[in-house]
Amino acid sequence: MLDFDPNQTPFPNGHFIGGQLVNGDGDALEVRRPSDGQIYAELPIASAALVDRAVSNAQAAFQRSDWATGAPRARARIMRRWADLIETHSGELARIEALGSTRPVKDVLAVDIPYAADCLRFFAECADKLGGDVAATRSDQLGLVIGEPYGVVATIAPWNFPITQAVTKIGPALAAGNAVVLKPSEMTPFSALRLAQLAIEAGMPAGIFNIVQGTGSVTGDALCRHPGVGKISFTGSTRTGAAIMTASAESGIKPVTLELGGKSPQLVFADAADLDKVARSIAQSILGNAGQVCIAGSRLIVQRKVQAELLERISQLAQAIRPGPTWAEATSYSPIISAPQMNRIDSIVQNTLGQGGEAFIGGQRLELGAGGAFYAPTVLIGVTSEMEAVREEIFGPVLTVQAFDDEAEGLALAAHPCYGLAAGVYTADLSRALRAVRSIKAGTVWVNRYGRTADYVIPTGGFHSSGIGKDLGRQAVEANMRFKSVLVDFSA
Ligand code: NAD
């Protein structure tokens, strides 16, 4: 039985600096549970002074511990032990995660924690395999490209998958030999603290992994601008990504990895092999975490011949959702993170309806009576590419539908003026699939499937306004290294 009482669930609070929990030094922020809207904690907001303390601790640990200077295999061993501990403590971690996030406890246990542990193991394995390169030179010269850690990497995470996003950010930075300061989202701040405690238990030197809590404008900004930070790795909205680029530019030109928003198309051709499978894939991509997923497949572009049949199947799947509090085992449909975010979703939907769009299903809030924010699975038809619902990231369970007759029209509808995070293509025709892959400007294109599973083995990252650089894959470890070129002349 996975059900738990949210009022009787212990969780750590505070910042995590130099290997221990640290109390706040200033203002605090009320934190609400999305499932029932209740305030359940006060989160300390790290001031610039506290951020300085965390970065200084990270710098000292980077210089004095053997994390960066010892054998990379040694830190790999600690990271693997850490992954084991995450699995050993999965029940406790899942409760902390489910308590204050949109993630149902069953999904955290079945998906998020195994993913986080395996993802850490993958990055641990990269630690002693990505040292650099030997260049082709004359035989009396030696050309080396040496990978080195940056020192302190500032990592900033969003709220939609707190544990997996934290691991995605910190795993490659640590494997590359850096020390890390993480700022989790102020809406989901606590599970990362338990991860940090387990890292110490696994043998990670104190100060290598630190956490500062707080808002983006105070804590996040101070972290990005700190002169002791060598690189910034951020996941969140495109707007914040732009603010972080500005902060980087104004504080010494720090390299940035930015994983940002999206408005990803799913292009379904009439010859797709199995329409039931396509429907399941599309429903999962927009209903999983109630659409609060960067790669949500939120724009369905479907060949007219199969539109009616596909929409019918998607709406049947949408009827099977089980909304409820994240602490109930039976829940399979997430709450929306906050009341303001639900109001934003609803206002975009109502504007679309006012402009001539139609709700094939949904189009309203779900009233569960417990005070949480829930939104009905919504499929909008009769929309055009100019409408806000089709153009802007909604970050909710809202699928827009546009129909096409021929391939060129479908590809034109799939293109987006600024986002390029991900896309799906469904067809049984290999040549058509590959033409679509070439045409679509997105960092990831899935063919006859959609969404991440254990994809930490391949890089992810957006084009255009969806980001810069790569997370996941060995490329993520390389993104947390800088490469020094060395030329040695040993001619007689
Ligand atoms: P957000 O941009 O509001 O916040 C993300 C993080 O940035 C939070 O920790 C926040 O406190 C911090 N922040 C805010 N302003 C800051 C500033 N000026 N300086 C430094 N830090 C600042 O995003 P969110 O609402 O938490 O997350 C949802 C967004 O994240 C969506 O746009 C989604 O697409 C995106 N996202 C992208 C990916 C990806 O892999 N591309 C993954 C998950 C989420």
Side-chain angles (χ1 to χ4, degrees):
M1 189 66 165
L2 301 179
D3 289 34
F4 67 93
D5 180 347
N7 297 315
Q8 303 294 327
T9 300
F11 56 89
N13 193 353
H15 314 285
F16 194 86
I17 299 176
Q20 55 193 345
L21 285 173
V22 168
N23 288 331
D25 63 346
D27 293 343
L29 191 73
E30 289 173 339
V31 192
R32 288 176 191 272
R33 304 188 291 230
S35 294
D36 62 4
Q38 294 292 313
I39 295 166
Y40 74 106
E42 293 243 310
L43 180 74
I45 299 175
S47 62
L50 207 92
V51 168
D52 178 52
R53 188 171 146 197
V55 175
S56 303
N57 259 273
Q59 283 179 304
F62 177 76
Q63 278 153 14
R64 290 190 208 125
S65 79
D66 57 3
W67 188 254
T69 54
R73 196 87 204 135
R75 58 178 182 265
R77 206 173 300 125
I78 292 170
M79 288 179 70
R80 283 200 306 273
R81 216 178 296 142
W82 188 19
D84 293 346
L85 282 172
I86 288 172
E87 283 177 341
T88 315
H89 290 78
S90 58
E92 177 200 356
L93 268 170
R95 285 189 290 278
I96 298 174
E97 184 80 329
L99 177 66
S101 79
T102 58
R103 304 292 300 140
V105 63
K106 200 171 167 189
D107 290 352
V108 183
L109 265 176
V111 182
D112 302 16
I113 291 189
Y115 179 96
D118 271 348
C119 188
L120 271 182
R121 290 187 186 106
F122 171 80
F123 287 127
E125 284 311 318
C126 293
D128 62 355
K129 296 176 185 66
L130 298 173
D133 210 351
V134 180
T137 55
R138 292 167 50 116
S139 65
D140 59 359
Q141 311 278 314
L142 184 61
L144 301 175
V145 183
I146 305 177
E148 297 178 346
Y150 279 102
V152 179
V153 175
T155 56
I156 300 183
W159 49 261
N160 56 344
F161 295 87
I163 286 180
T164 56
Q165 285 294 341
V167 165
T168 300
K169 301 266 88 176
I170 61 186
L174 291 170
N178 297 284
V180 163
V181 180
L182 167 71
K183 194 199 86 62
S185 168
E186 59 273 37
M187 289 191 267
T188 53
F190 303 119
S191 51
L193 294 169
R194 195 67 192 108
L195 289 182
Q197 290 173 323
L198 295 176
I200 296 293
E201 208 177 313
M204 192 175 290
I208 288 294
F209 174 23
N210 307 274
I211 294 174
V212 287
Q213 305 282 11
T215 57
S217 55
V218 175
T219 311
D221 187 63
L223 181 57
C224 291
R225 289 175 188 272
H226 196 289
V229 164
K231 186 215 154 100
I232 304 167
S233 177
F234 168 75
T235 299
S237 63
T238 298
R239 181 200 293 246
T240 305
I244 285 176
M245 282 190 88
T246 304
S248 155
E250 290 175 355
S251 65
I253 318 271
K254 294 160 186 141
V256 290
T257 296
L258 304 175
E259 291 291 332
L260 308 177
K263 189 73 191 172
S264 302
Q266 303 218 56
L267 188 55
V268 181
F269 290 93
D271 66 359
D274 176 348
L275 219 52
D276 276 328
K277 189 174 157 207
V278 176
R280 280 198 302 279
S281 178
I282 290 169
Q284 171 59 26
S285 82
I286 194 66
L287 301 181
N289 209 28
Q292 301 162 109
V293 185
C294 56
I295 52 162
S298 53
R299 290 189 296 132
L300 172 60
I301 320 280
V302 57
Q303 204 155 16
R304 207 175 304 277
K305 279 183 247 177
V306 289
Q307 178 181 7
E309 203 179 335
L310 185 61
L311 288 192
E312 197 46 50
R313 292 177 199 205
I314 292 172
S315 49
Q316 272 166 17
L317 291 165
Q319 277 161 24
I321 56 158
R322 281 175 282 123
T326 43
W327 44 81
E329 183 176 354
T331 297
S332 69
Y333 186 69
S334 295
I336 303 301
I337 185 71
S338 65
Q341 171 58 9
M342 185 164 71
N343 292 339
R344 178 175 177 271
I345 295 169
D346 194 44
S347 119
I348 295 176
V349 169
Q350 300 316 322
N351 286 345
T352 310
L353 301 183
Q355 288 164 4
E358 261 179 76
F360 185 76
I361 55 168
Q364 76 281 329
R365 297 152 202 255
L366 286 177
E367 300 298 343
L368 299 191
F374 289 85
Y375 205 80
T378 296
V379 174
L380 296 175
I381 56 175
V383 296
T384 64
S385 298
E386 291 67 44
M387 289 181 180
E388 190 183 12
V390 182
R391 236 180 34 239
E392 301 294 332
E393 182 180 51
I394 299 178
F395 228 56
V398 182
L399 180 72
T400 61
V401 183
Q402 293 171 280
F404 67 92
D405 291 306
D406 62 32
E407 186 178 313
E409 194 189 353
L411 290 173
L413 284 171
H416 191 279
C418 66
Y419 287 124
L421 190 57
V425 178
Y426 302 85
T427 174
D429 180 336
L430 179 63
S431 303
R432 171 176 281 157
L434 292 176
R435 282 195 297 275
V437 166
R438 284 278 194 226
S439 156
I440 293 171
K441 296 184 175 41
T444 301
V445 183
W446 288 289
V447 178
N448 294 326
R449 56 160 288 169
Y450 196 89
R452 292 182 189 140
T453 43
D455 293 354
Y456 42 77
V457 293
I458 54 170
T460 180
F463 292 177
H464 309 302
S465 305
S466 291
I468 296 175
K470 297 292 181 192
D471 269 354
L472 302 181
R474 64 180 165 72
Q475 289 82 350
V477 181
E478 286 164 344
N480 283 279
M481 292 174 159
R482 56 186 171 199
F483 290 88
K484 185 177 283 171
S485 299
V486 179
L487 264 176
V488 183
D489 181 338
F490 55 97
S491 55

